[in-house]
Amino acid sequence: MARVTAVNISQKKGVIKEPIPLGYFKENHGLMGDAHAGEWHRQVSLLGQESIDKIAALGIEGLSAGKFAENLTTEGIDLYKYPVGTKLKIGETIMEISQIGKKCHTKCAIFEQVGRCAMPLEGVFTKVIKGGYIRPGDEIQVLE
């Protein structure tokens, strides 16, 4: 089963996100209280635990949910393999994949240590189509 393993938030951009027990994702906005939320195409960021594990296997210790500044840490699904426009039911929400990967303008600490990061290739961004709550353990369903 594909599921959410962590919901992560930060009030400032450019910092590691901290796990929270429950997040409210507002329609056409993103995670309430998160610095990256707003009316644009990258409202919510998602990264699979599998992607984090690949970087950890290169010798980086202490990697955990939120270290790559992702709002949702997932497991059991390779979201980056789905095309832009794919709709997902996550917890009470419905989200639409709006971007896969991203260009890193500044090199993060993880990139400096190992020469690569997971977000540029395997990070996924979504827009919130239907708002609602998401908590760790919630199932992820691909709708289309």
Side-chain angles (χ1 to χ4, degrees), residues 20-37:
I20 56 175
L22 178 70
Y24 183 75
F25 292 77
K26 183 179 175 184
E27 183 176 319
N28 197 33
H29 182 77
L31 176 56
M32 293 299 294
D34 187 72
H36 291 92

Side-chain angles (χ1 to χ4, degrees), residues 3 5 25 32 68 116 118:
R3 67 184 187 99
T5 60
F25 292 77
M32 293 299 294
F68 290 94
R116 65 180 277 224

